Amino acid sequence: MNIFKKTILTVLASLFIIGNVSAEKIKIGTEGAYPPWNSKDASGNLIGFEVELAKELCAIMKYECTIVEQDWDGMIPALVMRKFDAIMAGMSITAERQKTITFSQGYADEVASLAVMKGSSLEGMDTPEGINLSLGGSDVKKALKTLTGALAGKTVCTQTGTIHQNFLESGDVGSVNVRTYKTQDEVNLDLTSGRCDVALAAAVAFTDYADKSGKPVVLVGPTFSGGAFGNGVGVGIRQASDSAIGKRDAKILKDFNKAINKARKQGIISKLAIKHFGFDASM
Amino acid sequence: MDFELMITSFPKLLGATVVTLKLLSASLFFGLFLGLFFAILRLNKNIFINKFAYGYSYIFRGTPLLVQIFIIYFGLGQIEYLRTTFLWVILKEPYWCAIIAFTLNTGAYTSEILRSAFQTIKPGIIEAGKSLGISNKIIFYKIQIPIAIRQSLPAYGNEIILMMKGTSLASTVTLMDLTGVAKYIISTTFKPIEVFIVAGGIYLFMTFIIHNVIKYLEKKYSFQQ
């Protein structure tokens, strides 16, 4: 028994030493169901903007990274329970999430928009092109008022646990009838079937779906940013603590911040954004 | 462990339990009639009627309930023609889609439970009725059905419990049942363990009640030896 214990300890110790000497090994969680941010190809491989960006960032940090899949609704709990070490899943930096986890600096801007099927009565809404909820002002107020009137009595669909749900429930557009789905795919399905009058998500999620499915999904109203929509998309990481693992988390955060700076300067983020979104969403 | 969250989420989850119970009672109610109907068809000597009833129970017992809900909710929703018919009024609502799926599923299991109960009735009992000059119709309604129901109580109790747990799948089609609200609370607090423990406790309590009601009925209607 004693020998057995010793062997285990030696093996564990050696693993620890090797781990320290060689490159840091981390796992990055992504959803794989939010194209073009992150999705899967026909054979099940993870693809998309964040999958490619993660590879670039890991190369800069000299980390050995494995990208793993995790359902959106369990993303933050899975990070906290150490199923992986970082989140790159189109997750916007919000105060609500920062109570539980921490974020790197933002690497891309998520522009949210409402979408309807062509021919909907909501088309041609009289609002500015984009509103920033953090800035406020009479324009924003007027736009929110228009939206409140337009959305009254409509079923608005969105993915569970997203900034879009937070916004719809914030009261900024009155009390709307919100219906939430596990994935964006399901939102798209029910938008086309007509169960949803209107849907809210990242604008690119709708344009990507419209392109690939050929369904007449069109964006309406203003694009949203600020306020409930957070401050850009960043890498989600566990909050640092004084323990050995907590210090490792702090180091991962520091390395990601540095790597994002470097990738931005070299134009890697812009290049990937243009490739996947069709415009430069880097920040 | 965040006990405060467990306490604050309890009333919200209890409110959502009403939706769960509504789904359960509606699907059990319709499912019982559907099950009885198909059990009777199964006893029919006509091979086409018999095979049709068998096919129904084979399909719905042979596929996962989740797949059935998805086909009825997302699948039927994609058929453009259907959306122009009156059926869409019902199928548009996730609530009715869930009830239709649950009813068809529990109906299939109930038909099997009742069929086997009918088949275990000893021929002697029916013959005794015939020898007293009772008509076939009366024998069926007054002898066979009551005995079959009594025989199937333990198995049917099981089916109720399975169906109660099955209603948690309603949350996958946007319904805010017990599981749906639990997931909603988790999506804002990021604490699945606490919330799921409370939700699991409520499910367990419902199982406890159903189990004891069935046990009481079994005792009340037990055959005098």
Side-chain angles (χ1 to χ4, degrees), chain B residues 161-208:
Chain B
I161 291 171
L162 284 175
M163 208 53 233
M164 188 268 289
K165 292 184 287 187
T167 57
S168 65
L169 293 174
S171 65
T172 61
V173 289
T174 75
L175 284 174
M176 282 301 181
D177 72 325
L178 182 46
T179 304
V181 169
K183 281 181 178 165
Y184 176 77
I185 297 173
I186 292 163
S187 77
T188 54
T189 60
F190 313 115
K191 288 185 175 144
I193 297 177
E194 286 87 345
V195 180
F196 277 141
I197 285 178
V198 178
I202 296 175
Y203 277 117
L204 207 58
F205 181 72
M206 287 195 278
T207 305
F208 172 80

Side-chain angles (χ1 to χ4, degrees), chain A residues 265-276:
Chain A
K265 267 187 210 143
Q266 293 176 356
I268 295 173
I269 305 181
S270 305
K271 203 183 79 200
L272 287 178
I274 290 167
K275 176 180 167 192
H276 290 278

Side-chain angles (χ1 to χ4, degrees), chain A residues 37-117:
Chain A
W37 289 85
N38 54 78
S39 60
K40 280 187 288 184
D41 64 13
S43 47
N45 300 315
L46 288 163
I47 52 164
F49 169 69
E50 281 167 320
V51 177
E52 284 182 35
L53 180 62
K55 283 176 191 157
E56 295 282 357
L57 293 179
C58 290
I60 295 173
M61 298 189 288
K62 298 197 172 65
Y63 275 21
E64 264 182 52
C65 299
T66 325
I67 301 173
V68 293
E69 209 183 316
Q70 166 67 46
D71 281 348
W72 174 258
D73 53 9
M75 194 66 79
I76 289 178
L79 176 75
V80 173
M81 286 164 199
R82 306 193 176 282
K83 279 176 76 180
F84 41 77
D85 308 291
I87 296 171
M88 286 181 77
M91 190 178 275
S92 297
I93 304 164
T94 66
E96 192 185 38
R97 288 172 183 148
Q98 277 169 326
K99 283 181 202 156
T100 312
I101 61 169
T102 180
F103 284 94
S104 72
Q105 56 172 313
Y107 52 77
D109 232 341
E110 201 212 60
V111 184
S113 172
L114 294 165
V116 294
M117 297 306 285

Side-chain angles (χ1 to χ4, degrees), chain A residues 35-36 39-40 47 206-215:
Chain A
S39 60
K40 280 187 288 184
I47 52 164
F206 293 122
T207 47
D208 185 81
Y209 175 70
D211 279 352
K212 283 180 188 154
S213 69
K215 297 269 166 59

